[in-house]
Structure formats: structure tokens, C-alpha cells
Amino acid sequence: MDLRNAEIGETYIVEDIRTDDEELEKFLFSLGCYSGEPITVISHLKGGCVVSIKDGRYNIDNGIAESVIIG
């Protein structure tokens, strides 16, 4: 399942980042979004979602959200 399908308020563990874009992978890593890390969806927006990673909140678009595989 990816972040677009996550339930609001639930904490998930990032299982994988599925992208061929090395810059996107580095960007997500800089936010603390990598395999084994917990992530919580705060809300879903029309073009993406707001997530909590570690101590930060980030607004990510649907293109990025579908790259983040959670379990």
C-alpha cells in the first residue's frame, strides 16, 4: 500500500521507496522518510497529503505519496 491509501491518524512503517528518481529518493531521505521509519498521515488533500515524519510535518503531492510504500 502507498501513502495515498493510508488512513488518517494511523502510524505506518515505511517499507520501500519505489522510484527511479535519485533526487526524489535523496529528498525523502533528508526528511527522514526511509525504510523502517514510522510515518503518520495527518490529512489527505486534493493534490496530496500531510504527513508526520519524526518531529516534522510535510505536505507531499500524490506523485511522491505513491512512491512511498508503507505497511
Side-chain angles (χ1 to χ4, degrees):
M1 169 168 67
D2 62 45
L3 278 180
R4 294 175 305 158
N5 303 318
E7 291 190 35
I8 295 171
E10 290 290 319
T11 300
Y12 298 92
I13 300 297
V14 176
E15 291 183 354
D16 192 20
I17 305 297
R18 291 197 183 147
T19 182
D20 293 331
D21 186 347
E22 198 172 304
E23 283 189 37
L24 175 59
E25 205 167 336
K26 287 180 182 179
F27 171 71
L28 289 170
F29 186 84
S30 73
L31 299 180
C33 184
Y34 47 86
S35 294
E37 285 298 309
I39 188 170
T40 305
V41 175
I42 305 299
S43 66
H44 287 287
L45 306 171
K46 190 172 187 177
C49 58
V50 177
V51 297
S52 175
I53 306 169
K54 299 196 180 216
D55 291 333
R57 286 187 180 201
Y58 307 99
N59 183 8
I60 59 174
D61 68 24
N62 283 328
I64 296 174
E66 73 179 319
S67 298
V68 180
I69 307 304
I70 54 174

